[in-house]
């Protein structure tokens, strides 16, 4: 199991033995579990640490990982919780094929499935690449987030780790006919370019107004 260590203790939490909802509760963070369906039928889990009316942030994990990526540290410094404490509305995606997104409208990840042309393929569910995650998973997540948050927000802040960064780059580039220049521009407009906005002054990232003032406390949990 992968372990998360709590502050001021050496007690570890085995991720494989605890749900994210339970873990979020143990570190004092509200939790929501959402499901979204991509245009090609994959059903993805999208996790949220809600801060209603605050700037939405979409966090996307790397290769062979999941939303747990953003909690792999002590609660007082782990990325998702720190963002939430500083007043952001935190959303964490799970790409197709991860332990939390092994579902589809017609394909079974554990058995032989029939393809649209009528043929059977043992690995039909798994017939995808990171490019499909860029073309389908990422747009579905961003569209869903913007549909759920306060209408005053027309964009999101996006942070990707490793493959999560590659997904965004691939999504923003027009590749063949699947991602047209207009579609690429649409998603460029939906992602807040903070680096460009701060380029002239190079100001440090500051939390939005009315941020939480919670003080992180030690959490002791049994492995």
């Amino acid at each position: 199991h992968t372990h998360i260590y709590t502050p001021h203790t050496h007690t570890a939490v085995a991720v494989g033995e605890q749900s994210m909802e339970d873990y979020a509760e143990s570190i004092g963070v509200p939790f929501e579990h959402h499901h979204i369906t991509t245009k090609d039928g994959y059903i993805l889990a999208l996790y949220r640490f809600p801060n209603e009316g605050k700037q939405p942030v979409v966090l996307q994990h790397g290769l062979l990982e999941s939303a747990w990526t953003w909690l792999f540290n002590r609660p007082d410094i782990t990325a998702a919780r720190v963002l939430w404490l500083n007043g952001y509305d935190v959303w964490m995606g799970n790409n197709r094929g991860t332990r939390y997104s092994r579902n589809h409208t017609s394909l079974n990840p554990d058995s032989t499935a029939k393809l649209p042309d009528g043929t059977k393929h043992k690995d039909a569910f798994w017939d995808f690449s990171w490019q499909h995650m860029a073309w389908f998973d990422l747009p579905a997540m961003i569209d869903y987030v913007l549909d759920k948050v306060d209408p005053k927000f027309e964009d999101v802040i996006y942070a990707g780790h490793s493959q999560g960064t590659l997904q965004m780059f691939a999504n923003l580039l027009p590749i063949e006919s699947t991602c047209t220049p207009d579609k690429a521009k649409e998603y460029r407009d939906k992602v807040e370019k903070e680096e460009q906005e701060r380029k002239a002054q190079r100001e440090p990232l500051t939390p939005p107004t009315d941020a939480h003032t919670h003080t992180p406390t030690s959490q002791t949990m049994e492995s």
Side-chain angles (χ1 to χ4, degrees):
H1 295 295
T2 302
H3 290 78
I4 299 173
Y5 290 89
T6 58
H8 315 303
T9 75
H10 296 287
T11 304
V13 175
V15 170
E17 299 171 0
Q18 186 177 38
S19 71
M20 184 174 287
E21 182 175 8
D22 289 341
Y23 182 67
E25 181 180 358
S26 74
I27 60 174
V29 180
F31 178 86
E32 293 179 4
H33 187 167
H34 298 255
H35 285 101
I36 59 176
T37 302
T38 66
K39 290 184 177 180
D40 58 343
Y42 285 82
I43 300 172
L44 314 178
L46 187 61
Y47 296 151
R48 182 188 189 189
F49 290 174
N51 255 328
E52 296 290 347
K54 302 305 173 88
Q55 172 67 53
V57 179
V58 176
L59 305 177
Q60 192 56 35
H61 63 79
L63 181 66
L64 302 179
E65 297 174 357
S66 71
W68 275 107
T69 291
W70 307 102
L71 293 169
F72 280 162
N73 222 318
R74 303 195 320 265
D76 59 330
I77 61 174
T78 195
R81 185 172 185 268
V82 168
L83 286 168
W84 179 79
L85 286 172
N86 281 278
Y88 291 96
D89 188 8
V90 182
W91 297 77
M92 295 165 281
N94 291 280
N95 282 323
R96 62 185 64 197
T98 61
R99 63 183 298 181
Y100 306 113
S101 297
R102 287 170 52 93
N103 213 337
H104 193 278
T105 55
S106 62
L107 302 177
N108 186 334
D110 301 315
S111 66
T112 300
K114 184 177 293 186
L115 296 178
D117 62 3
T119 61
K120 289 187 177 181
H121 183 7
K122 182 177 180 180
D123 301 316
F125 176 91
W126 302 99
D127 190 16
F128 60 77
S129 73
W130 60 264
Q131 214 155 36
H132 293 83
M133 300 173 191
W135 290 339
F136 299 107
D137 295 7
L138 199 55
M141 293 175 193
I142 293 176
D143 285 346
Y144 184 89
V145 169
L146 289 175
D147 183 62
K148 292 296 181 182
V149 301
D150 192 310
K152 70 181 179 181
F153 294 110
E154 298 180 352
D155 51 33
V156 300
I157 295 175
Y158 179 86
H161 170 240
S162 189
Q163 179 183 270
T165 305
L166 179 65
Q167 281 178 245
M168 178 55 75
F169 284 142
N171 177 271
L172 297 179
L173 291 173
I175 302 175
E176 301 178 345
S177 61
T178 306
C179 184
T180 65
D182 288 344
K183 177 60 69 173
K185 183 179 184 303
E186 177 184 341
Y187 284 102
R188 287 191 188 97
D189 292 341
K190 286 184 177 180
V191 178
E192 186 174 45
K193 302 293 184 161
E194 286 209 334
E195 180 61 23
Q196 294 180 6
E197 294 173 357
R198 304 196 314 271
K199 189 173 183 181
Q201 299 179 342
R202 289 295 179 186
E203 296 178 350
L205 179 66
T206 55
T209 57
D210 302 323
H212 286 280
T213 56
H214 299 0
T215 301
T217 57
S218 175
Q219 301 287 335
T220 303
M221 293 164 281
E222 297 298 326
S223 60

